[in-house]
Amino acid sequence: GAGVSQSPRYKVAKRGQDVALRCDPISGHVSLFWYQQALGQGPEFLTYFQNEAQLDKSGLPSDRFFAERPEGSVSTLKIQRTQQEDSAVYLCASSSRARGEAFFGQGTRLTVV
Amino acid sequence: AQSVTQLDSQVPVFEEAPVELRCNYSSSVSVYLFWYVQYPNQGLQLLLKYLSGSTLVESINGFEAEFNKSQTSFHLRKPSVHISDTAEYFCAVRNNAGNMLTFGGGTRLMVKP
């Protein structure tokens, strides 16, 4: 596709519900990143993939957060038993090489009620 | 560890006036520096970057930033702003050994007619 695509754009979840957020990176991009952007703050790193390998997950805030990229293309960020503090915009970015320019998607706004 | 500080959360300015958005960083190693812009309801877009070479970098739409190693700063400037420059601006760093970006809290530039 022309850019990084994320779905859904908006998600409202009840506390305790599991959610799955999808990221379609730019075709051929080997690197994929997830960031969390709380209201009024800058994005914070969650995790990084190179192809299907998750090379860095140091930013995942708890074991309720899980990310996968099984075929080295589409990635899914899953949050189990959502809590109110999980409310944020989740941004996905991809780049053609490990330290190349990162292109960001529009994000998924998650609201936990 | 590295961090980025954007001291001004909001900067109101009249159209055609000059503007400076401040960014300071801390890092124990050499870093690459970036400015991203986020227009309403859109994803982050790279505005300009400093990787090496000339410390003054420019964007295609009239913004410029200067890397100052002694002051650990990378302030963003534009001599004459337009209404269309109204957006959120994020400064970010990446160290030369890593892949992920560390963002500042963002500065909302509000250009008034």
Side-chain angles (χ1 to χ4, degrees), chain B residues 16-33:
Chain B
E16 298 183 5
V19 70
E20 179 179 78
L21 307 183
R22 295 180 292 170
C23 172
N24 288 86
Y25 69 93
S26 66
S27 176
S28 58
V29 298
S30 297
V31 295
Y32 303 130
L33 295 151

Side-chain angles (χ1 to χ4, degrees), chain A residues 49-85:
Chain A
F49 290 86
Q50 186 166 316
N51 296 307
E52 69 278 5
Q54 189 174 20
L55 299 185
D56 188 344
K57 53 181 181 179
S58 62
L60 295 177
S62 78
D63 58 8
R64 296 186 296 105
F65 287 70
F66 172 75
E68 60 183 7
R69 193 185 185 200
E71 297 179 0
S73 179
V74 171
S75 177
T76 304
L77 177 67
K78 298 179 179 178
I79 309 174
Q80 297 176 325
R81 305 180 303 281
T82 53
Q83 301 177 8
Q84 281 193 313
E85 60 262 32

